[in-house]
Structure formats: structure tokens, C-alpha cells
Amino acid sequence: MASIKQTVSAPIVAQAKDETANGPGLSRRAWIDIIQGFQSWRVWWLLGIGDIRQRYRRSRLGQFWITLSVAIFIAAIGTVYSALFKQPIEKYIPYLATTYITWTLISGIIIDSTSAFIQAEGFLRQQALPKSTFILRILVRNFVSFGHNIVVLPVIFLIFGVSPAWTWFAALGGLVLIAVVGFLGGLVCAILCTRFRDLPQIIQNFVQVAFFVSPVAWQVDLLDESVRHWVIINPFAAFLQMVSEPLLGRLPGAITYTSAAATIGVSALIAWVLFRRFRQRIVYWL
């Protein structure tokens, strides 16, 4: 048994020693890892699709259980909250649908990223695959789920008379920015949660709190002028509004895109520092 472990781990140990021997080469190897990760798109695409199929294996509705559960949530919560907030249901439910579907994408990427490397332990211990591959796997999994969820929107828009608008194209830009920050933030979460195994539970609780303090179920217009500025410093609000607002026919303000750009910049810096420094240690933490 010991000889088998030595045979399997020998290439990994040799590779790790080679990487740690050359400090200045860490940046180059980290950058190569990211490039090779994007180039091996067939791997992370098949892994992400496989995760969706495995989750709903032997289910009659399959992946469309996601769509059904989202539709039920929007109908139930939209009816109740529109009465609580004293909002016209024909305006509130389309708002809730766009924000909640976008939120499921953002929160799903964050939560799944906490186990990205842990879930890929079998691959990482046996093959020298790019680490970034498994972050892209998380993005594929959640964007496919988002594609199933967004099927609900045309039905809701048709029922409540939301007309098509050219601003819908701006929502595509918002999704691209979510993918960028999702990759960077997912890399940070994956590295830290692989090293500190208590962090996934902390991050899950944090995401639950973020749901209530972000304009998902409530609208910014309902807040007093004196507290609206707090929404500006909430990065989740910026990425929510970059998708939900254009879908409702409105363009977000410049401050929303500025907040999103600042979040991406900070995430890129943190992700690069962590990935460059600890990439070769990930296998040892598994």
C-alpha cells in the first residue's frame, strides 16, 4: 500500500519541489496555469455539465427541477412580499424574478467555489492539471443552472406586460462581469477554503446574510435617502443591478459600474497574490 502511494505522489512531489526551487518563476507558472486552464475548455465544460447531470440523475424532470423550484419561490415570495411592501404585484414580481435569478448565479458561484479543489481531489492527486480548470468548472455549472432559471423570465414578462427593450443587451455585459469576478473570487475562496476547512461554513452564513442586505427581495427606492448610500458600498448590489436593471428596461448609473470595476480590481489583486504564492501547495492541503 505504501509503495502505491509513493508511486502516485512521486510526480506531484517532484513538481512541487521544482516549483518552490525557483521563486521568480512562481509568477510565470501561475500565469501559465491560468492560460492552460482556459485552453483546456473541453475539460472544464464536460466536468461542469457532468456535475449538473449527476445532481439530477434518475430524476424525471432532470435539470428543470431548478427551473420549477425557482418559479415556485418567485410566485410565493412575490405574492407575500408585494403585500408586505405595499407594491403593485405587476411591478414587484418582475423585479423579484430578475434579482433572485441573478442572485442564485452569484451565490451559487461563491458557495460552490469553497469546495472547488476539495471536490477535485481525485484529479489533482493523480494528474498535473491546471488548478484554474476547476474554477472554470464551477462557472460552467452555475451558468448552466442560470440558463435553466432564466427560462422563467419570458413567462413572467409576458404575464405582467414587461416589453422587450434594447437595454437587454447591457444585461449580457453584466453577466460577463459576473463571470470575471466569479473566476477571481472563486479562486480566492477555493484556495482559502482548501487551507482552512472551517471557512466554507462561514462563507455560507455570510452569503445568507448578504441576501438580506442586498436589494434582492427589496427595492432601493423603498429606502430613505439617508441610508441609500450604504447600497453603494455593497458589491453584491452592483452586480445584481448590472443584470436586473437592464432586463427591466433601465440602465444602471455610472456609480454601479464603478463599484463593480473596483470590486474586480481588488479581487484580481487578492487572487493573484494567493494563487501565485500557494498554487503549488494546494495538493498538500487536500
Side-chain angles (χ1 to χ4, degrees):
M1 190 67 180
S3 61
I4 295 176
K5 291 183 178 179
Q6 290 175 358
T7 303
V8 173
S9 60
I12 297 175
V13 173
Q15 180 186 9
K17 287 182 178 179
D18 178 66
E19 288 183 348
T20 55
N22 184 8
L26 291 177
S27 297
R28 182 175 61 85
R29 291 188 177 95
W31 184 244
I32 290 174
D33 185 295
I34 294 174
I35 293 175
Q36 290 179 344
F38 278 93
Q39 289 176 341
S40 55
W41 62 270
R42 293 179 181 84
V43 177
W44 44 265
W45 173 259
L46 291 175
L47 287 174
I49 296 297
D51 291 339
I52 295 291
R53 290 175 176 171
Q54 184 65 27
R55 182 181 300 177
Y56 296 96
R57 187 181 180 185
R58 297 184 180 179
S59 170
R60 289 186 178 273
L61 291 179
Q63 298 93 322
F64 287 97
W65 270 116
I66 308 173
T67 307
L68 182 60
S69 62
V70 168
I72 293 173
F73 178 89
I74 292 171
I77 299 300
T79 303
V80 174
Y81 276 38
S82 63
L84 288 176
F85 294 142
K86 295 181 173 55
Q87 295 293 307
I89 194 170
E90 64 273 10
K91 292 184 178 180
Y92 182 75
I93 286 188
Y95 172 83
L96 177 65
T98 56
T99 55
Y100 181 70
I101 290 173
T102 307
W103 175 259
T104 58
L105 172 63
I106 296 172
S107 62
I109 292 173
I110 296 172
I111 293 174
D112 287 356
S113 295
T114 61
S115 59
F117 295 141
I118 299 172
Q119 185 182 16
E121 178 178 358
F123 295 102
L124 292 173
R125 284 188 177 275
Q126 297 179 31
Q127 303 179 46
L129 291 173
K131 308 298 188 299
S132 56
T133 299
F134 301 101
I135 306 300
L136 294 167
R137 171 192 190 178
I138 299 300
L139 293 183
V140 170
R141 181 195 307 171
N142 283 277
F143 270 94
V144 170
S145 296
F146 175 79
H148 291 137
N149 292 340
I150 206 169
V151 173
V152 176
L153 282 184
V155 178
I156 292 177
F157 286 177
L158 183 63
I159 292 173
F160 294 100
V162 179
S163 302
W166 66 270
T167 55
W168 288 7
F169 293 104
L172 296 176
L175 290 175
V176 171
L177 294 179
I178 288 177
V180 172
V181 78
F183 176 78
L184 298 171
L187 200 57
V188 173
C189 288
I191 294 173
L192 293 178
C193 291
T194 304
R195 177 63 181 87
F196 304 102
R197 296 303 174 92
D198 292 332
L199 270 182
Q201 289 75 23
I202 296 174
I203 291 176
Q204 289 177 11
N205 292 331
F206 170 77
V207 170
Q208 290 178 352
V209 174
F211 172 84
F212 293 104
V213 300
S214 301
V216 181
W218 49 268
Q219 297 169 293
V220 179
D221 296 340
L222 299 178
L223 298 176
D224 293 333
E225 291 286 349
S226 59
V227 295
R228 286 186 187 180
H229 63 277
W230 289 106
V231 179
I232 298 174
I233 65 175
N234 182 351
F236 294 104
F239 289 98
L240 275 173
Q241 292 173 343
M242 284 192 305
V243 178
S244 63
E245 291 292 311
L247 289 175
L248 295 173
R250 303 184 295 265
L251 282 179
I255 195 167
T256 300
Y257 290 100
T258 302
S259 176
T263 302
I264 291 174
V266 172
S267 299
L269 178 61
I270 297 174
W272 177 252
V273 171
L274 290 177
F275 193 59
R276 176 189 177 277
R277 181 69 178 84
F278 300 112
R279 183 181 65 88
Q280 71 275 13
R281 299 187 186 182
I282 291 173
V283 177
Y284 293 101
W285 292 341
L286 294 173

